[in-house]
């Protein structure tokens, strides 16, 4: 059985992913990102991160084999 996909980051960037069935984890500051990461359900296999969320996690996002992470590209300034 395949696990779920979560999307973690700023609410304005991640909200729409819920329309396609992803677990949406809005987090608008570093503390919220770290809390959401620590509380990931065990059935999440992939986490899509905004660039800000990836920065907040730093090396913590690659410190374990699961979940796999990927980072959304940043848009133009």
């Amino acid at each position: 059985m395949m696990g779920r996909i979560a999307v973690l980051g700023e609410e304005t960037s991640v909200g729409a992913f819920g329309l396609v069935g992803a677990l949406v984890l809005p987090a608008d500051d570093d503390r919220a990102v770290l809390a959401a990461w620590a509380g990931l359900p065990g059935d999440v296999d992939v986490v899509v991160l905004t660039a800000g969320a990836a920065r907040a996690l730093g090396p913590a996002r690659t410190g374990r084999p699961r979940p796999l992470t990927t980072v959304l590209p940043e848009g133009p300034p």
Side-chain angles (χ1 to χ4, degrees):
M1 184 165 129
M2 184 173 196
R4 291 192 291 173
I5 296 173
V7 185
L8 171 59
E10 299 79 15
E11 188 168 5
T12 57
S13 299
V14 303
F17 286 94
L19 296 172
V20 294
L23 172 63
V24 176
L25 302 168
D28 290 323
D29 60 40
D30 291 359
R31 178 180 282 165
V33 169
L34 294 171
W37 180 256
L40 280 174
D43 65 342
V44 171
D45 284 337
V46 176
V47 180
V48 179
L49 302 163
T50 62
R55 280 190 294 275
L57 287 174
R61 78 181 189 98
T62 59
R64 56 188 187 185
R66 195 174 155 269
L68 176 68
T69 62
T70 189
V71 181
L72 292 169
E74 289 189 270

